[in-house]
Amino acid sequence: MNFAELSIARPDLAFIAHWVPNNAHVLDVGCGDGVMMDYLQSDKRCSGYGIEIADDKVLGSTKRGVQVIQQDMEKGLALFGDNSFDTVLCLSSLQMMKHVEALLRDIVRVGKEAIVSFPNFAYWPHRVALLKGRMPVSESLPYEWYDTPNLRCATINDFRDLAEECGLEVIEYVALAEGRRVSFLPNLRGDLAVFRLRKKVTAKAAH
């Protein structure tokens, strides 16, 4: 898969991909059908693994040539040592987890950097739906309340606070709408939040 194909199929992934350096060793947590790892391997010469639990998605990743480990993300990443990867991806998966904080800490433990994305619950159409007394349904939250796999709802501000509580440094964060960066009122106008994170370097560690 080349960049043009990725941009058409998943513009959000195309934007996120530019944060992953060439030749990086990557772990994609919740890799789905492997489209992101497929692109990173073929166009950016990256190596690494995907983690996925669903049988059909594991098969889809394998067909793309992605090395995938079938495992429940809730069980953590204990099979990987500290800083095993240059970049760990967790794209539109974290909100499906029961233990978000624990997984977030684990993601940043095994990766020198992490890129996390999730639906922004503060997106203005979501707010309008709530004002109308309805749970929001949108492109980034496409499920009805009774069949959604999403267990958590967060805003950009919420996640930034969580990162601080976990002792993580936010390198950069953006809001996307239809795969394009939103600069003005991002917490209101962006339907997808994307964060680049890493462990904070303490003064003791720096020495």
Side-chain angles (χ1 to χ4, degrees):
M1 173 171 284
N2 59 39
F3 187 78
E5 291 171 332
L6 185 65
S7 297
I8 293 170
R10 289 290 304 275
D12 57 322
L13 295 187
F15 179 91
I16 293 166
H18 87 272
W19 278 346
V20 181
N22 291 339
N23 303 303
H25 193 45
V26 178
L27 178 66
D28 190 351
V29 179
C31 65
D33 63 1
V35 63
M36 184 62 144
M37 281 300 297
D38 181 15
Y39 166 73
L40 294 176
Q41 290 176 169
S42 59
D43 261 42
K44 304 197 80 171
R45 302 180 301 280
C46 294
S47 60
Y49 306 91
I51 292 180
E52 180 56 58
I53 187 65
D55 291 340
D56 58 332
K57 293 179 179 178
V58 169
L59 180 60
S61 291
T62 302
K63 287 181 176 179
R64 291 180 182 274
V66 173
Q67 297 184 82
V68 59
I69 300 168
Q70 188 166 21
Q71 178 175 308
D72 185 352
M73 293 180 289
E74 291 280 13
K75 295 182 178 178
L77 306 174
L79 65 164
F80 302 114
D82 295 359
N83 300 316
S84 296
F85 299 90
D86 299 306
T87 304
V88 178
L89 305 174
C90 186
L91 307 180
S92 296
S93 297
L94 200 64
Q95 75 278 2
M96 301 178 188
M97 300 296 105
K98 292 179 181 178
H99 307 291
V100 171
E101 183 178 350
L103 181 59
L104 183 61
R105 290 180 186 275
D106 224 10
I107 286 169
V108 179
R109 177 187 65 78
V110 303
K112 297 170 186 174
E113 284 192 11
I115 301 174
V116 175
S117 72
F118 56 90
N120 176 29
F121 206 69
Y123 182 42
W124 72 266
H126 299 163
R127 301 188 193 199
V128 170
L130 289 170
L131 285 172
K132 292 180 178 179
R134 296 287 185 178
M135 286 297 290
V137 177
S138 67
E139 186 174 342
S140 58
L141 290 172
Y143 302 94
E144 296 288 350
W145 67 270
Y146 52 83
D147 65 358
T148 179
N150 298 323
L151 303 178
R152 309 296 181 200
C153 299
T155 71
I156 290 172
N157 294 338
D158 290 328
F159 189 83
R160 192 169 49 199
D161 290 345
L162 176 62
E164 179 69 26
E165 290 175 17
C166 290
L168 308 180
E169 177 186 351
V170 176
I171 304 168
E172 186 176 359
Y173 72 90
V174 299
L176 302 181
E178 297 180 353
R180 296 180 181 178
R181 184 172 187 161
V182 176
S183 299
F184 178 65
L185 298 176
N187 201 36
L188 181 68
R189 298 177 58 240
D191 67 335
L192 189 74
V194 189
F195 279 72
R196 281 180 70 201
L197 307 162
R198 65 186 171 201
K199 294 177 288 291
K200 282 186 178 177
V201 178
T202 64
K204 183 178 180 180
H207 288 84

